[in-house]
Amino acid sequence: AQPILVYACVAIWGLTFGGAATLLQTALADSAGDGADVALSLNVVAWNSVIAGGGILGGVLLDQWGAQTFPIAMAALLALGLSIAWRARAQGFTPGARQGPAVSPH
């Protein structure tokens, strides 16, 4: 039964996370306003840093305490991410039309 649970979780993660990068970039650009170029550049740095940090954390956890610590670490990181997204929803995830560049009628 455990492999089925793993496959189901991977499928759910793929379905829910597939559009996350685009949504997060849109939220960041909306909240950054005129500083969107800089903010989006820093977004790339943050993504790559988190990927590297995840590899380091996973390696340390595996080496020091074994793979059984992964679910606990994942739950803690998911809770942290949910908390950050929940608190940022008023600034980054505003409803309504997105601001676009001004277009001249000519």
Side-chain angles (χ1 to χ4, degrees):
Q2 210 170 30
I4 292 172
L5 180 61
V6 171
Y7 294 141
C9 289
V10 168
I12 291 168
W13 177 82
L15 290 170
T16 58
F17 192 72
T22 303
L23 294 172
L24 291 173
Q25 288 176 354
T26 301
L28 182 59
D30 283 351
S31 62
D34 290 339
D37 290 340
V38 173
L40 292 169
S41 297
L42 291 173
N43 184 47
V44 173
V45 172
W47 275 95
N48 289 324
S49 298
V50 170
I51 291 168
I56 292 168
L57 177 62
V60 169
L61 289 175
L62 184 61
D63 185 52
Q64 296 295 315
W65 297 287
Q68 69 272 11
T69 59
F70 287 178
I72 297 167
M74 288 177 57
L77 291 171
L78 285 170
L80 177 64
L82 179 60
S83 173
I84 291 169
W86 187 262
R87 290 186 177 142
R89 74 188 186 283
Q91 290 82 26
F93 300 105
T94 55
R98 306 273 72 83
Q99 294 179 354
V103 177
S104 173
H106 303 301

